[in-house]
Amino acid sequence: MSYPPSDKAAVLTRIREALRLPARVPHQDSHAPSFPALPGKEEIGRWLPAVGAGYEERVALFARQAAALKADFVRLPALDAVPSHLAALAQAEGWPADGIASHPGEHSASLVEKAGFRPFLALPGYDRAKLESCAASVTACEALIAQTGSVLVTTRESGGRALTILPPHHIVVATRDQLVPDLPAAFARLRQAYGGTFPSMISFITGPSRTGDIERILVLGAHGPKKLTILFVG
Amino acid sequence: MTGIVKLFRRDVRGTTADTPRRTFIRRALSGYFAKRYPLQDAYADWQAARTTAAAIKFDAVNRLDTHLETFARQAEARGTKVFFASTGAQARDYVLALCREQGVRSIVKAKTMTGEEIHLNEALEKEGYGVVESDLGEYIVQLRKEHPYHFVFPCMHLKRGEIRATFEKALGDVGSDEPENLTMVARRVLRQEFLKADLGISGANFLVAETGQISITENEGNARLTCALPRIHVALVGIEKVVPRFEDLALFLPMLGTAGAGQALTGYNTLYAGPRQPGETDGPEEFHVILLDNHRTRLLADPEQRDALHCIRCGACLNVCPIFKNIGGHAYGTTYQGPIGSVITPHLRGLQDWKHLSGASSLCGACTETCPVKIDLHHHLLQNRRNAVREKGVWWERLLFQGFGLYASHAALWRFGSRLAVPGLKLHSRFSGAWFDPVRLWTKTRTLPRPPERTFRQLWAERQKQKSPRA
C-alpha cells in the first residue's frame, strides 16, 4: 500500500467557503465592528516584562532568572578561565576522562581539550549509544536571553539536535556579545543571522529539564539534562 | 436523552461526591495560581499583550487559507512532507501507510492532543505497532489505560501512591513513591524507548506560516528527544495552530508559558524547519507534517464563534473553571476538557450529542477573563445553548416559556399568579425534595429560601399607604 493522497484542495476549499462570512469581532459592539489589523512587529515586545537598559542590569537579571530556574550561572572574566572551571566541574562530579561530549569549535571542543580531556565529538554519523553514556556535554550557543534566563541553541551553533538534550549535564559557553535583553531581540538576532533559511532546529532552553506531572511537585531531569550550567564570559 | 448525557450525569454524580479528590485537585492547582499571577503582573501590560495576541490570531484564523498555503510551500522547500487531512481517518491512514512503507518497528510519542482526538494510538496498536507515550503524565495514563484528565496536566488527579502502584504493575518493583524516584524510573525506561524508536510522533503548538516551521512547547525534553533521535518525525497539527510570522512567537511563547503553566517560559520551546539539513550533525531523515481539519472548518464557518479557533491550548480556562474543579476532567468525556472543550466539542462531534456541556456552566466568565487570546468563552456557551434549542427545541420547554411570556406580559395575570405563589410556596416547603415533588430534580440537593409572607405588590401598596397621610 502506498501513501494516501493529500486532501489539500478539499481542506482549502472548505476553509474558503467558511471564511465567506466575516467574523464577529469578539468583545466589540456588533453594529460597528472594526477588524483588528495584524499588529506590527514592533508591537510584539512592547507589553512583555521590562528589562533594564544597562549591560550590568541585564547580566544581573539573567543571573536571577537562572537561579530561579535552578540553573547554575557562572560569570568568568575571560575565555581562558573556562578550561580550569571545566576541569573543576569534572573533578567535582567525577566525569570519566572520555565522558565529555562536545562539538568542534572555539567555544566548545577546544575548551574541553584545553581542560585536558579528549571530548567525544558529535560529528555526522556519531555513535548514539556513546553520546548517551556521556556524563556531560559542552556546547556553544546562539544567545542568552536576560528577560527569561533562557539559552538559545540551534543545530548550527550547538552541535546538532541531540547534544544539548541527551547527556545529563549540559554546559553552555556564552560570551558578552551573546547576551540579548529580551525575546524579540533574540528573534531579531536569529533573523539577522540566518535570513529566512533557519537551522532545522532552534531551541529556547529555559532551565534544566523539568516536570511537575506527579502531584505538581517539581522534579528536575525528567528526560533531558538534570543540570544546566551557563559559563558566561563577560 | 442520549447515552452521552446519561453517562455524563452518572460520572458527575460520582466525581462531585468524591470530596477528597476534589480537595486534591484544588490543592494541585493552588501552586499554578501562586506562580501565574505574579508573572502576569510582571508584564508591562498583560491586558495589552492579550489584545495584541488576539489580533494576531484574528489575522491567522481569518486568512487561514493563505497562511496554510504559505506554510506548506515554505515547509516543502525545506524538504518537509506536508499532508492535508480532512478527517481523522485520513490522518491515521497516512501514519499507518508511513509505518508500512518505512518498515517502522518502534514508535515513541511526545504529547499530542490531536493524536488523542483522532485515536491514533488505538489505530496503530490495532495494526500491531507498539506506541510509547514519553511525556511523563501521558506515560502514566497510558499505562493505566485512561484518558488524560487535563489536556496540559494529564495525570494531575493521581496521587503518588496510585502512580507507584501503576508502575509496579507494569515494571515490577520501583521503590519509594517519592515524585523524584518515580520520575527517574520513567526516565530510565523511556530513555531506552527513545534509543530504539525509528518513528517519533509529536504534535505542535504553533505553525509559523512565513517560514514553514513548527513550534513545540514542553518542559521535560521528551519532545526534543522525539524530534532528534528517530529517523522519521511526524507532527500531527490542527490547521488552526497558525501564526503568520516568525516574530509572533516572541509574544506567544511567553504568554503560553505564563497562562498555561505559571512559567515565564516553559523549559523547551523548539522550532523545527524540515528534516536534517545538509551540513547538520543529526536529526531525522524524514519530517512529515499532517495538517488536520477534522471538523475545525465547521467551527470556522460560524462567524460568531470563529474566535474559538484562536485557542493556543494553554489550559488556563480549565484551571479557573468552577465546573472543571468540581466534576473533574474525565466526566466531560471529551478530548478537550473545560470551557474550551464545552465550546468546541459540539462543533467537532455534533451539537445535539454535546450540548449538555454548554449547560454544565455557571457562566461566571472566569474562563473569558483568564484566556490569553481573549476567546469569548462564556458567551459561546450561551450561543451553543441557543443554537441547540433553535435546531431542535423541546416541546414542553417551548410551552413553558410561552406560558411564562403570556403571564409576564399581562398585569392582571401576574398579580393573580404572584398572590397564589405565597401560599403555594408555603405548601411546597412541606414536601420540598420528596419523591412526588414536581421540581425534585432541583430541590433534592437544594433548599429554597423561606417563602415570603407577602408579595412585592402587597408590600409596595402598604408602603404607599403609610406614606400618603404625610403627603
Side-chain angles (χ1 to χ4, degrees):
Chain A
M1 187 191 140
S2 60
Y3 295 108
S6 173
D7 218 7
K8 183 172 179 178
V11 173
L12 290 176
T13 304
R14 271 200 305 280
I15 292 172
R16 289 192 186 113
E17 205 50 38
L19 288 175
R20 276 168 52 184
L21 283 173
R24 189 188 76 97
V25 183
H27 312 285
Q28 269 194 24
D29 182 358
S30 58
H31 297 295
S34 72
F35 291 99
L38 180 64
K41 286 182 187 174
E42 72 292 343
E43 191 79 357
I44 288 165
R46 188 175 294 171
W47 317 118
L48 295 175
V51 179
Y55 170 73
E56 283 303 323
E57 256 177 286
R58 288 171 187 176
V59 176
L61 176 60
F62 187 93
R64 261 198 324 278
Q65 298 285 28
L69 292 162
K70 300 188 194 299
D72 289 327
F73 177 75
V74 184
R75 196 172 178 183
L76 298 169
L79 210 54
D80 300 345
V82 175
S84 60
H85 198 88
L86 285 176
L89 271 177
Q91 199 180 11
E93 296 193 358
W95 301 342
D98 61 345
I100 308 172
S102 194
H103 60 95
E106 175 186 2
H107 291 164
S108 43
S110 66
L111 295 170
V112 180
E113 279 160 14
K114 279 182 199 152
F117 297 97
R118 265 195 57 196
F120 170 74
L121 289 178
L123 294 170
Y126 66 82
D127 176 3
R128 189 189 283 173
K130 174 67 188 150
L131 178 61
E132 208 274 330
S133 70
C134 283
S137 65
V138 178
T139 77
C141 66
E142 290 277 352
L144 301 181
I145 300 146
Q147 190 174 47
T148 54
S150 308
V151 178
L152 178 58
V153 300
T154 60
T155 35
R156 195 77 54 89
E157 278 299 309
S158 311
R161 295 196 186 193
L163 188 61
T164 51
I165 192 74
L166 209 51
H169 189 166
H170 180 202
I171 296 109
V172 180
V173 180
T175 51
R176 183 186 168 110
D177 57 307
Q178 288 181 311
L179 181 70
V180 299
D182 54 14
L183 282 162
F187 278 85
R189 197 185 175 100
L190 286 166
R191 175 79 83 174
Q192 204 191 355
Y194 297 107
T197 315
F198 294 107
S200 79
M201 187 203 77
I202 297 171
S203 192
F204 293 85
I205 300 177
T206 309
S209 158
R210 57 192 56 224
T211 186
D213 273 347
I214 302 176
E215 297 192 1
R216 314 290 327 126
I217 292 166
L218 177 69
V219 177
L220 299 181
H223 282 287
K226 215 175 166 54
K227 288 187 80 176
L228 174 67
T229 301
I230 297 129
L231 302 182
F232 181 64
V233 182
Chain B
M1 201 190 299
T2 66
I4 295 169
V5 183
K6 276 190 189 142
L7 209 62
F8 177 72
R9 291 203 174 165
R10 191 204 65 193
D11 288 352
V12 164
R13 264 198 297 277
T15 53
T16 48
D18 188 353
T19 318
R21 188 76 62 181
R22 279 164 52 193
T23 311
F24 179 75
I25 295 293
R26 268 166 214 275
R27 204 168 297 147
L29 284 172
S30 65
Y32 161 83
F33 292 116
K35 285 186 291 174
R36 175 187 165 161
Y37 292 120
L39 276 175
Q40 187 175 307
D41 293 343
Y43 275 60
D45 189 337
W46 173 259
Q47 296 307 331
R50 289 176 76 211
T51 306
T52 308
I56 293 171
K57 269 303 209 178
F58 188 93
D59 179 274
V61 167
N62 285 282
R63 298 202 300 130
L64 191 58
D65 51 340
T66 317
H67 290 315
L68 287 178
E69 280 184 312
T70 313
F71 174 84
R73 195 174 57 245
Q74 294 291 355
E76 280 161 0
R78 300 291 306 260
T80 307
K81 300 204 168 82
V82 181
F83 179 79
F84 284 77
S86 289
T87 61
Q90 283 179 359
R92 291 192 300 266
D93 288 346
Y94 185 77
V95 178
L96 286 171
L98 182 74
C99 290
R100 269 186 231 117
E101 290 281 310
Q102 297 285 339
V104 165
R105 287 186 309 273
S106 179
I107 307 172
V108 74
K109 235 171 120 223
K111 190 177 159 69
T112 153
M113 291 315 295
T114 322
E116 299 280 340
E117 178 186 324
I118 65 167
H119 306 290
L120 183 60
N121 287 6
E122 289 88 332
L124 286 164
E125 279 158 11
K126 220 180 112 195
E127 294 291 315
Y129 296 101
V131 191
V132 181
E133 292 286 351
S134 62
D135 173 86
L136 177 59
E138 292 282 341
Y139 177 61
I140 292 165
V141 297
Q142 186 189 30
L143 289 179
R144 294 174 66 88
K145 299 186 172 56
E146 277 180 14
H147 293 291
Y149 187 84
H150 179 302
F151 59 75
V152 176
F153 313 131
C155 72
M156 68 176 296
H157 61 302
L158 296 173
K159 299 178 185 177
R160 58 183 76 182
E162 294 168 302
I163 294 168
R164 179 177 61 179
T166 304
F167 279 3
E168 270 176 352
K169 215 172 129 196
L171 312 167
D173 189 26
V174 295
S176 100
D177 65 0
E178 282 301 313
E180 165 83 30
N181 175 55
L182 294 173
T183 304
M184 290 308 127
V185 168
R187 177 186 167 112
R188 279 194 295 275
V189 173
L190 292 170
R191 191 45 86 88
Q192 296 315 310
E193 298 292 339
F194 280 119
L195 291 172
K196 73 172 196 226
D198 36 22
L199 171 64
I201 300 177
S202 75
N205 298 82
F206 300 100
L207 302 165
V208 184
E210 178 199 8
T211 57
Q213 291 164 308
I214 67 162
S215 172
I216 301 181
T217 290
E218 53 153 346
N219 269 310
E220 297 179 359
N222 62 308
R224 282 279 314 268
L225 290 166
T226 302
C227 306
L229 300 179
R231 68 184 162 86
I232 311 164
H233 172 204
V234 176
L236 181 63
V237 195
I239 50 172
E240 82 283 15
K241 289 283 165 75
V242 163
V243 291
R245 299 163 302 195
F246 181 60
E247 284 82 2
D248 291 329
L249 292 181
L251 182 65
F252 282 99
L253 299 181
M255 287 187 82
L256 176 58
T258 302
Q263 292 174 276
L265 203 57
T266 39
Y268 299 93
N269 285 280
T270 311
L271 289 111
Y272 295 97
R276 174 183 175 183
Q277 300 293 301
E280 291 187 338
T281 311
D282 53 3
E285 296 156 21
E286 282 187 24
F287 177 39
H288 302 250
V289 175
I290 302 176
L291 298 172
L292 180 72
D293 177 351
N294 206 23
H295 303 312
R296 282 163 176 77
T297 41
R298 263 199 228 159
L299 186 49
L300 192 71
D302 181 347
E304 200 173 39
Q305 296 195 33
R306 189 175 294 161
D307 67 324
L309 289 171
H310 294 188
C311 179
I312 57 172
R313 300 283 187 270
C314 70
C317 59
L318 280 66
N319 302 344
V320 299
C321 179
I323 307 300
F324 176 83
K325 283 189 252 196
N326 284 309
I327 72 172
H330 285 150
Y332 288 85
T334 56
T335 310
Y336 307 102
Q337 309 82 10
I340 185 66
S342 302
V343 167
I344 66 175
T345 307
H347 294 267
L348 303 180
R349 295 210 220 163
L351 179 57
Q352 293 307 324
D353 277 342
W354 297 95
K355 61 183 179 187
H356 59 282
L357 294 180
S358 303
S361 159
S362 61
L363 299 176
C364 66
C367 46
T368 306
E369 198 180 282
T370 205
C371 178
V373 290
K374 293 180 82 167
I375 300 171
D376 202 355
L377 285 158
H378 69 293
H379 284 111
H380 295 335
L381 293 171
L382 273 174
Q383 289 150 6
N384 277 347
R385 294 186 193 182
R386 181 203 60 204
N387 295 346
V389 171
R390 242 185 222 165
E391 188 183 282
K392 193 176 156 202
V394 187
W395 65 268
W396 60 265
E397 267 185 8
R398 203 174 303 133
L399 202 69
L400 207 67
F401 277 101
Q402 273 168 2
F404 179 78
L406 190 77
Y407 170 66
S409 55
H410 291 82
L413 263 179
W414 181 271
R415 198 155 47 231
F416 175 69
S418 51
R419 203 165 288 168
L420 269 186
V422 172
L425 282 171
K426 268 190 191 150
L427 182 68
H428 175 260
S429 67
R430 291 166 180 244
F431 60 82
S432 177
W435 62 269
F436 54 89
D437 181 355
V439 287
R440 193 183 120 78
L441 263 184
W442 206 77
T443 51
K444 70 178 173 184
T445 54
R446 296 174 184 83
T447 314
L448 277 173
R450 258 165 55 92
E453 292 300 323
R454 275 182 285 273
T455 67
F456 176 77
R457 278 171 175 279
Q458 287 168 331
L459 284 172
W460 186 258
E462 277 170 33
R463 207 177 122 117
Q464 293 304 101
K465 211 184 284 172
Q466 279 169 3
K467 266 181 169 175
S468 57
R470 258 175 283 154

